[in-house]
Amino acid sequence: MKPLTLRSNNASIKTAQAEFDSLLKHPQSLAFIRLIILLLGISWLVFGLSLQYLPPQIPLLFSKPWGEEQLIPKLWLALSPGLATLFFIINSRLASMFIRKDPLLPQILLWAQLIITLFSTISVIRIVLILA
């Protein structure tokens, strides 16, 4: 039986970096990525700055019946920008993989990511403004 050894992933990291650089060479993709990062930054900033002013329980589960069933701990508000950030990483990687094969698919992925991030940012801001 062969002993387990760790392989160097430098080649795959360099390939991913080259693919992402090719995505950034397209002006429209670069504009989308900048706007998405700006919205993510705003979302995380609003969450971070408002964390000390929020009550211990916040209403986030709006599909539940009105009352205490909608309340969750305030740290769960990070779920919205956190998932948007995770989707941004995944969509950016997918877009950079497909940019050379098909120029339309990366644009669709970045549009979808922009919509996800915009809704996430609006949700965080509205919840904070309701509770402030």
Side-chain angles (χ1 to χ4, degrees):
M1 184 174 238
K2 290 173 95 176
L4 292 175
T5 59
L6 295 176
R7 292 187 308 166
S8 174
N9 287 333
N10 287 339
S12 62
I13 292 173
K14 287 182 182 180
T15 303
Q17 184 178 7
E19 289 172 346
F20 191 70
D21 288 342
S22 67
L23 179 68
L24 293 177
K25 289 179 184 174
H26 291 83
Q28 188 176 11
S29 298
L30 181 61
F32 276 122
I33 291 172
R34 285 181 177 169
L35 186 57
I36 291 167
I37 290 174
L38 176 70
L39 288 172
L40 284 172
I42 291 170
S43 183
W44 281 109
L45 187 67
V46 167
F47 169 73
L49 291 177
S50 66
L51 192 60
Q52 63 185 349
Y53 301 110
L54 293 175
Q57 300 278 324
I58 60 169
L60 192 61
L61 305 174
F62 296 113
S63 63
K64 299 274 185 174
W66 191 83
E68 280 195 39
E69 294 182 26
Q70 289 184 347
L71 299 177
I72 58 170
K74 65 182 175 182
L75 288 177
W76 279 84
L77 186 58
L79 184 67
S80 183
L83 285 175
T85 304
L86 177 67
F87 289 144
F88 171 65
I89 293 168
I90 293 170
N91 279 346
S92 297
R93 179 65 183 123
L94 288 174
S96 66
M97 285 172 40
F98 294 125
I99 191 72
R100 291 186 180 155
K101 297 174 187 167
D102 181 20
L104 180 63
L105 185 59
Q107 297 304 316
I108 292 170
L109 287 170
L110 291 175
W111 267 106
Q113 182 58 46
L114 180 63
I115 291 169
I116 290 169
T117 307
L118 182 65
F119 286 157
S120 170
T121 304
I122 289 171
S123 297
V124 169
I125 290 172
R126 294 213 45 204
I127 289 171
V128 168
L129 288 177
I130 287 171
L131 299 172

